[in-house]
Amino acid sequence: GENVEQHPSTLSVQEGDSAVIKCTYSDSASNYFPWYKQELGKRPQLIIDIRSNVGEKKDQRIAVTLNKTAKHFSLHITETQPEDSAVYFCAATSLFGGYQKVTFGIGTKLQVIP
Amino acid sequence: KAGVTQTPRYLIKTRGQQVTLSCSPISGHRSVSWYQQTPGQGLQFLFEYFSETQRNKGNFPGRFSGRQFSNSRSEMNVSTLELGDSALYLCASSLIPNSQNTEAFFGQGTRLTVV
């Protein structure tokens, strides 16, 4: 089955700096890669996603890149703000038994220091 | 449109007991997935239900089971509870499971503590 590795597990950055979180996946058939943000005490929510036919996608200060050959994808947050502090999960979606199966990474706890 | 609702929010049980958690998906969503979240293990997939049938299952012992009703509401049951079952249990609903571009909407979770 699919295996998703995510690192780092914790990341501290100064406000205004950039943050990068990296994930690798094992199933070459995976073709949808969402990223979820979970603030303390809240539910995970989708912040950005990318499909395998796209190499990069941006949404304001957030961008995701995908390298299908190397089977890795990354989340980039620029000009970080204190409200970006949260746990971020990457995920890879593959078909399993005819239905999609979402495999999450272990999560990265991002702390933005004011 | 109401979001995903999980009940109860908090639960304390003793070892050996069993517990049932409930998840009501967003109206119109037919797929419900369950995850166990612990600090060291992240989000671990338990199982997914669609049209009252379990479609996928993660690597959890048989003590963990679930079901889905005709109205898409889902329940998860854990029997013979162990201390290690203490975790946040999250369910997520999505519109259709066989699309690989489907966002999963999470509930607030049920915090289970086994003592």
Side-chain angles (χ1 to χ4, degrees):
Chain A
E2 175 70 278
N3 181 48
V4 176
E5 295 188 356
Q6 180 175 351
H7 56 92
S9 56
T10 59
L11 180 60
S12 292
V13 299
Q14 290 292 135
E15 182 177 357
D17 287 350
S18 296
V20 180
I21 302 170
K22 299 182 179 181
C23 290
T24 60
Y25 62 98
S26 60
D27 187 350
S28 57
S30 293
N31 65 2
Y32 175 59
F33 307 90
W35 285 86
Y36 288 82
K37 175 184 180 182
Q38 186 179 29
E39 296 178 23
L40 188 63
K42 297 189 177 180
R43 70 191 77 194
Q45 291 190 296
L46 181 74
I47 55 171
I48 195 168
D49 55 16
I50 191 167
R51 298 172 181 81
S52 59
N53 58 347
V54 175
E56 183 177 5
K57 182 177 179 180
K58 287 184 179 179
D59 183 3
Q60 299 181 339
R61 297 185 297 106
I62 295 173
V64 58
T65 58
L66 172 65
N67 183 326
K68 280 197 70 179
T69 303
K71 292 190 226 172
H72 66 70
F73 55 113
S74 301
L75 178 71
H76 303 252
I77 306 174
T78 58
E79 300 172 22
T80 53
Q81 301 168 4
E83 53 263 38
D84 294 330
S85 296
V87 178
Y88 292 81
F89 294 96
C90 64
T93 303
S94 57
L95 279 179
F96 184 81
Y99 292 83
Q100 75 166 3
K101 181 176 180 180
V102 183
T103 303
F104 285 87
I106 202 167
T108 295
K109 184 176 182 180
L110 173 64
Q111 181 184 20
V112 179
I113 304 167
Chain B
K1 185 185 272 192
V4 179
T5 304
Q6 290 188 246
T7 56
R9 289 292 309 280
Y10 303 93
L11 208 49
I12 299 176
K13 290 285 188 179
T14 56
R15 279 181 298 175
Q17 286 188 310
Q18 73 165 15
V19 66
T20 299
L21 313 180
S22 178
C23 173
S24 293
I26 292 172
S27 178
H29 285 195
R30 297 171 62 193
S31 174
V32 175
S33 298
W34 287 89
Y35 297 87
Q36 182 192 66
Q37 185 176 20
T38 56
Q41 298 296 323
L43 283 170
Q44 291 193 294
F45 173 74
L46 280 154
F47 25 65
E48 178 193 4
Y49 287 89
F50 177 72
S51 293
E52 302 177 63
T53 302
Q54 186 181 93
R55 299 298 182 183
N56 282 313
K57 191 176 192 304
N59 298 322
F60 278 81
R63 300 185 296 108
F64 292 81
S65 62
R67 58 178 174 169
Q68 186 180 35
F69 302 95
S70 58
N71 61 358
S72 295
R73 188 178 71 86
S74 178
E75 287 183 348
M76 187 191 109
N77 185 76
V78 187
S79 63
T80 320
L81 284 166
E82 301 177 359
L83 295 178
D85 296 332
S86 296
L88 180 67
Y89 289 89
L90 290 162
C91 79
S93 77
S94 56
L95 192 57
I96 44 177
N98 58 350
S99 164
Q100 292 184 290
N101 299 325
T102 303
E103 177 181 355
F105 293 85
F106 284 87
Q108 291 273 37
T110 294
R111 173 74 62 184
L112 171 65
T113 302
V114 182
V115 297

